[in-house]
Amino acid sequence: MAEPGARAPEATADRGWRLRHLPVLVIASAVLGALAAVVGGVTGGADAALGAAAGVAVTAVSYTLTTVVLAWADARDPQLVLPFGLGLYAAKFTLLGAVMVGVASTGWSGLIPLCLGIAAGVAVWTAVHIWWLTTVHARRVRH
């Protein structure tokens, strides 16, 4: 187990590494959100457009929050990552569950597009993150 506050010299020298990927992922999510709104609008009207775009936004905000909080915790002490990560996970899914139950109880026609937007947001965020790690980040590590 690492000693509290122990850092690899490379990580200490490059403090921006924890958030370097975030702009690319946020841009990809914004593009997906616009595309989801167009597809939702064409296939299901205004509620579907709003629902699909909101679903992508929910995912992007959730993942961005996780990235920032875990980067902050890791910068303070690597041993804080697990408790902060688990606590944030529990809080986010509790909030997401409450919001989804609340939205479902209204009978809003944008609920299914909202769910599809969340799923698409997760798929695109994950795919772009994998791309970033295997190309951009891998090049930085090799040099």
Side-chain angles (χ1 to χ4, degrees):
M1 185 175 296
E3 293 180 32
R7 291 263 170 261
E10 304 84 34
T12 304
D14 183 13
R15 297 209 179 268
W17 71 270
R18 292 176 192 86
L19 300 174
R20 188 171 286 131
H21 63 288
L22 201 52
V24 173
L25 295 169
V26 170
I27 290 168
S29 293
V31 170
L32 176 63
L35 181 62
V38 170
V39 170
V42 168
T43 60
D47 283 348
L50 178 61
V56 173
V58 163
T59 302
V61 168
S62 172
Y63 283 8
T64 300
L65 176 66
T66 299
T67 300
V68 170
V69 168
L70 293 183
W72 174 86
D74 187 46
R76 299 305 171 270
D77 185 344
Q79 292 183 353
L80 293 175
V81 172
L82 181 62
F84 273 85
L86 291 175
L88 189 58
Y89 180 84
K92 286 188 329 182
F93 276 93
T94 300
L95 179 62
L96 180 61
V99 167
M100 294 301 285
V101 167
V103 170
S105 70
T106 67
W108 180 49
S109 63
L111 178 63
I112 299 299
L114 173 72
C115 295
L116 293 173
I118 290 171
V122 168
V124 167
W125 185 285
T126 303
V128 173
H129 201 171
I130 291 169
W131 167 83
W132 191 90
L133 287 169
T134 58
T135 58
V136 177
H137 182 70
R139 278 188 302 234
R140 288 179 188 267
V141 172
R142 277 187 244 130
H143 293 122

